Amino acid sequence: MAILNILEFPDPRLRTEAKPVDQVDDSIRQLIEDMFETMYDAPGIGLAATQVNVHKQVVVMDISEDGNDPLVFINPEVTVLDDSTRPYDEGCLSVPGFYETVERPSNIIVKALDRNGEPFTLEPDGLLATCIQHELDHLKGKLFVDYVSPVKRQRIRKKLEKAHRQQA
């Protein structure tokens, strides 16, 4: 296992759209293990392959308090069931130190493959539904800062660019 480098906003690679996984094989399972190690180390509750510069439709997450409920979504598809939404203060490993309220659909169904390539369907709610949608946005090249005003997004961009310059 390995801890992978997490791309940070405004890195343009975060805008790359992920491709479907053709075959769930040992290389995908290794990617999943590395992503879990990276996510837990960060620490975070979700990570999309795009965030570690692998542009495949793979997401890992664990919203449990003690890190014992790992979930894997390969080639995930979300269906919104109705117009109800829920606001949630979101953060992101690719936008460290910033949290903004994002309104997302509250009733969804997710279809995906698990780490063994087996299909499953899930009807999540609450934090899990929010986290799934947040991570699936990454696979489409979208970040939670895209939901905030252009002024806030620019302020976040400038602060992170300054932090990146100071680290270099």
Side-chain angles (χ1 to χ4, degrees):
M1 296 208 310
I3 294 179
L4 306 171
N5 182 47
I6 298 173
L7 302 177
E8 292 186 4
F9 178 72
D11 192 311
R13 295 172 291 180
L14 288 167
R15 300 303 187 172
T16 305
E17 196 163 325
K19 304 283 186 228
V21 172
D22 294 326
Q23 181 179 347
V24 179
D25 56 17
D26 287 344
S27 69
I28 294 296
R29 283 187 279 279
Q30 183 62 56
L31 172 64
I32 290 166
E33 292 307 314
D34 292 345
M35 287 174 63
F36 270 121
E37 186 172 357
T38 302
M39 180 190 76
Y40 289 131
D41 181 69
I45 61 171
L47 187 66
T50 301
Q51 293 176 272
V52 294
N53 202 29
V54 176
H55 303 288
K56 295 182 179 180
Q57 293 181 6
V58 177
V59 168
V60 300
M61 65 183 63
D62 187 341
I63 64 167
S64 68
E65 292 291 322
D66 52 4
N68 68 352
D69 192 18
L71 298 170
V72 174
F73 300 85
I74 299 170
N75 299 340
E77 297 175 10
V78 168
T79 302
V80 177
L81 298 177
D82 59 40
D83 292 338
S84 63
T85 60
R86 170 180 286 139
Y88 199 86
D89 282 341
E90 295 186 23
C92 182
L93 295 176
S94 291
V95 189
F98 293 91
Y99 298 87
E100 294 292 337
T101 301
V102 177
E103 190 95 16
R104 294 189 186 270
S106 52
N107 297 313
I108 63 171
I109 289 180
V110 182
K111 292 181 180 180
L113 302 176
D114 66 15
R115 70 174 71 221
N116 297 314
E118 296 297 321
F120 70 94
T121 302
L122 187 65
E123 193 169 332
D125 60 5
L127 176 60
L128 182 57
T130 297
C131 189
I132 289 169
Q133 292 173 81
H134 175 107
E135 298 306 332
L136 269 56
D137 272 355
H138 281 296
L139 300 180
K140 298 172 191 163
K142 192 169 186 175
L143 299 167
F144 87 97
V145 295
D146 297 337
Y147 292 94
V148 303
S149 73
V151 171
K152 275 188 180 179
R153 187 169 43 256
Q154 188 62 21
R155 188 171 354 135
I156 291 169
R157 171 191 288 269
K158 288 193 179 304
K159 286 181 180 179
L160 286 174
E161 285 174 338
K162 181 180 178 184
H164 294 153
R165 282 192 305 274
Q166 291 173 342
Q167 290 171 355

